[in-house]
Amino acid sequence: MTIYIFALILILLALLGTPLFAVILAVAMLGFYYLDVSLSVIAIEVYRIADTPVLLALPLFTFAGYILAESRTSHRLVRLTRACLCWMPGGLAIVAFIACAFFTAFTGASGVTIVALGALLYPALIEAGYRDKFSLGLVTTSGSLGLLFPPSLPLILYAIIAQQMNVGAKVAISDLFLAGLLPGLLMVVLLSFWSLWENRQNPVERPLFSVQEAKSALREAVWEIPLPFFVLGGIYGGFFAVSEAAAATAMYVLVVEVFIYKEISLSKLPAIMRDSMVMVGGILLILGVSLASTNFLIDAEVPIRLFDVIQAHVSSKIVFLILLNILLLILGAILDIFSAIVIMVPIILPVAINYGVDPVHLGIIFLANMQIGYITPPVGMNLFIASYRFDKPIIELYQAAIPFMIVLLAAVLIITYVPALSLVFLQR
């Protein structure tokens, strides 16, 4: 009876806003105490995560993303994509999707994308003749595009947790980087086609392609264009390990933004370092204690029991994946992506493997659903950020985002039931 009272207390503390790491740590301590296991295993687990070599990629890519967010990279990126694509039907909408996907992949936080690019894209879409509701929905949705593209932080975090659990096939960060490419492109392409269809009776004026403007925009962004090729080419060309690629990326971005573009002064660097490392510190703290709680779950055979319960009612892999998507959509709407990963992956991964789901494929399904969770009413984080950023009622954001959410749901179904889309580049 005492264990249930403590569990209720912990749930109440979580609802009252107690820091997540404290709740997870309390769960782990309570669980190990109940199993009569020394609490020293928690300290051992925290040390084990600190001793993981690939963990270095997390703070380095985060630091690079924060530098890009503080510079005028967003302006150069939008100008370049507009110069190259605005002559196409629906060109500006496609510009928004591509620019936001690139920016989110490096900054890792969709809220940053809406704040940084929203001020550029939303007025530009309205000026170009797109309807206000459509423009709002597009910018709000685009804020989370890019989570499947390298070097997205959620991809790295999922890989680290899956590696520490050591169940099923090995999950490498480089594998997840490759696995996310086609599903991420699928989402961008489907959203682009939807934008064309939605505006078929609302012809938007298209500027003529200007070679001079394209050359000027290309020259302005010449130092930032190589970034994705730098990361992927370095890793898959065999020049860098993932952690080395993160270090090289951080150094490259630092030199470009501070010494070449000179948009970030040396005096601002300490504040950027502090802000980025505060975010990383929070993630690492939650990650360390969550792995300790994962050990408790494994010792208590929770995943095995959960699988037995689910299998008693769900024998079909197809039905399991449908239920999994529904669960992840709900979680994505009520939890931030990092918390959802560290809490749910240790529980879901062993169960999914028992249903024959590849762990890399599961990672892409997981993050694709989390991406939609950002715009899922009633509490999707992007909806509130966009409401604040554009001074619009939250109900208006709900209505604007729902058509885009339906398109993304169609993409998630394809990603879920066509695993080859995620695994085609891997030797599985």
Side-chain angles (χ1 to χ4, degrees):
M1 182 63 69
T2 305
I3 190 77
Y4 296 113
I5 294 174
F6 277 121
L8 289 173
I9 292 173
L10 289 175
I11 292 171
L12 180 61
L13 289 173
L15 293 175
L16 291 175
T18 302
L20 184 61
F21 81 90
V23 175
I24 297 174
L25 181 60
V27 170
M29 294 176 68
L30 181 61
F32 283 125
Y33 176 79
Y34 178 72
L35 294 176
D36 199 23
V37 175
S38 173
L39 297 184
S40 63
V41 297
I42 296 175
I44 294 170
E45 204 58 46
V46 172
Y47 174 78
R48 185 162 70 91
I49 191 65
D51 200 38
T52 304
V54 294
L55 199 65
L56 289 172
L58 203 60
L60 290 168
F61 277 130
T62 302
F63 176 58
Y66 267 69
I67 290 179
L68 291 174
E70 289 292 327
S71 68
R72 289 180 58 83
T73 297
S74 57
H75 293 258
R76 287 188 288 273
L77 187 60
V78 170
R79 184 189 176 194
L80 176 63
T81 49
R82 286 189 71 175
C84 296
L85 299 176
C86 264
W87 58 271
M88 298 170 56
L92 188 56
I94 298 172
V95 164
F97 294 132
I98 293 175
C100 288
F102 175 91
F103 203 71
T104 301
F106 276 90
T107 59
S110 62
V112 174
T113 302
I114 291 176
V115 172
L117 294 182
L120 300 173
L121 293 172
Y122 179 61
L125 288 163
I126 297 298
E127 185 179 341
Y130 290 94
R131 291 177 292 104
D132 183 67
K133 183 178 177 181
F134 173 84
S135 302
L136 274 176
L138 187 150
V139 175
T140 303
T141 303
S142 300
S144 57
L145 276 180
L147 290 179
L148 296 179
F149 291 124
S152 167
L153 298 183
L155 285 173
I156 298 172
L157 188 59
Y158 175 89
I160 290 172
I161 293 176
Q163 287 173 9
Q164 296 298 314
M165 292 190 65
N166 197 27
V167 293
K170 187 176 187 244
V171 179
I173 294 176
S174 54
D175 287 346
L176 277 168
F177 280 1
L178 280 178
L181 290 176
L182 290 183
L185 285 172
L186 174 68
M187 288 185 159
V188 173
V189 169
L190 289 183
L191 285 170
S192 299
F193 278 122
W194 159 251
S195 299
L196 289 173
W197 174 259
E198 177 67 10
N199 291 283
R200 67 193 183 282
Q201 295 178 341
N202 178 37
V204 176
E205 184 179 347
R206 288 179 280 159
L208 295 174
F209 177 75
S210 168
V211 175
Q212 192 63 34
E213 171 62 13
K215 285 183 178 179
S216 176
L218 188 63
R219 280 195 301 268
E220 188 181 42
V222 69
W223 290 102
E224 286 148 337
I225 293 171
L227 263 177
F229 306 101
F230 185 73
V231 174
L232 293 176
I235 293 172
Y236 299 107
F239 300 104
F240 304 128
V242 172
S243 55
E244 293 167 341
T249 301
M251 179 57 71
Y252 180 86
V253 169
L254 180 67
V255 171
V256 167
E257 305 300 341
V258 175
F259 298 106
I260 296 178
Y261 286 123
K262 297 181 179 178
E263 292 173 348
I264 297 178
S265 63
L266 289 173
S267 61
K268 284 184 66 177
L269 275 180
I272 295 174
M273 291 178 183
R274 183 187 64 245
D275 292 342
S276 62
M277 291 308 105
V278 165
M279 176 184 174
V280 172
I283 294 172
L284 294 183
L285 190 55
I286 294 172
L287 180 58
V289 297
S290 71
L291 288 176
S293 68
T294 299
N295 270 353
F296 156 66
L297 294 175
I298 293 172
D299 289 346
E301 299 182 339
V302 171
I304 296 174
R305 294 178 183 179
L306 181 61
F307 173 68
D308 290 339
V309 171
I310 295 174
Q311 194 178 43
H313 299 88
V314 178
S315 57
S316 168
K317 177 180 175 181
I318 293 175
V319 176
F320 168 74
L321 288 172
I322 290 174
L323 296 175
L324 177 64
N325 281 324
I326 294 172
L327 172 64
L328 293 176
L329 283 173
I330 295 171
L331 289 174
I334 61 178
L335 286 175
D336 72 89
I337 191 166
F338 300 112
S339 301
I341 291 172
V342 298
I343 293 172
M344 296 308 301
V345 168
I347 298 172
I348 292 174
L349 182 57
V351 176
I353 287 174
N354 280 321
Y355 273 98
V357 181
D358 187 283
V360 171
H361 183 214
L362 176 67
I364 302 304
I365 294 172
F366 194 104
L367 296 182
N369 278 284
M370 291 296 110
Q371 181 173 305
I372 300 176
Y374 274 114
I375 58 168
T376 302
V379 289
M381 186 175 71
N382 276 13
L383 299 170
F384 291 93
I385 294 174
S387 174
Y388 175 78
R389 181 67 184 81
F390 304 121
D391 194 23
K392 299 286 185 179
I394 191 68
I395 296 297
E396 189 174 338
L397 270 298
Y398 289 169
Q399 296 170 345
I402 283 175
F404 294 89
M405 187 176 74
I406 293 172
V407 174
L408 289 176
L409 284 172
V412 166
L413 287 176
I414 296 172
I415 292 167
T416 300
Y417 292 109
V418 186
L421 196 66
S422 303
L423 306 177
V424 65
F425 297 127
L426 309 181
Q427 296 180 349
R428 304 303 256 197

